[in-house]
């Protein structure tokens, strides 16, 4: 049978451990959970973009395949702030917004340029508090 002093010592160390783990929130805790600064793609990858996304946030991914372009942007803002700024960015890139929806916790904007390019951008909170991730896709239809 364990001695009372040993039980008390284990209980105290458990309380200290739980308190330390609970204190892992905040900036240091966020960084350990993947909340480091967004890492921008190489400048050469930005040339493939049909839009200037510098004012929106940090472009962290650019991928293209068979007439499709996929871009991820992390913005230090709210969904409402980014959502309000995007129509001007899309218009400056020659796109027309054809539909939009903002539910507060996520938002979508759909756009076209002529009859050959369609796209969408989805805005979601995160990955960290105070950040919004935008996933933009553009598809080009080949001429017939």
């Amino acid at each position: 049978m364990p001695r009372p002093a040993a039980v008390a010592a284990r209980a105290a160390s458990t309380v200290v451990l739980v308190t330390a783990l609970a204190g892992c929130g905040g900036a240091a805790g966020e960084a350990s959970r993947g909340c480091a600064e967004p890492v921008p793609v190489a400048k050469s990858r930005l040339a493939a973009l049909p839009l200037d996304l510098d004012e929106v946030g940090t472009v962290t991914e650019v991928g293209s395949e068979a007439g499709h372009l996929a871009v991820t942007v992390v913005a230090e803002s709210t969904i409402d702030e980014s959502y309000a700024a995007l129509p001007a960015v899309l218009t400056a890139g020659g796109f027309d917004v054809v539909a939009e929806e903002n539910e507060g916790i996520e938002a979508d904007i759909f756009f076209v340029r002529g009859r050959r390019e369609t796209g969408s951008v989805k805005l979601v909170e995160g990955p960290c508090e105070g950040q919004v991730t935008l996933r933009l896709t553009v598809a080009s239809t080949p001429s017939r």
Side-chain angles (χ1 to χ4, degrees), residues 12-94:
S13 65
T14 301
V15 168
V16 169
L17 177 62
V18 169
T19 303
L21 290 174
C24 284
E30 287 177 11
S32 68
R33 290 189 309 249
C35 292
E37 289 289 316
V39 178
V41 297
K43 294 279 185 200
S44 61
R45 299 289 295 150
L46 298 178
L49 302 180
L51 299 166
D52 181 6
L53 298 171
D54 285 338
E55 293 181 28
V56 176
T58 302
V59 177
T60 60
E61 293 178 47
V62 176
S64 60
E65 183 179 315
H68 290 76
L69 177 68
V71 181
T72 302
V73 178
V74 176
E76 301 291 329
S77 69
T78 66
I79 287 180
D80 288 337
E81 291 168 343
S82 292
Y83 180 81
L86 279 170
V89 172
L90 292 166
T91 300

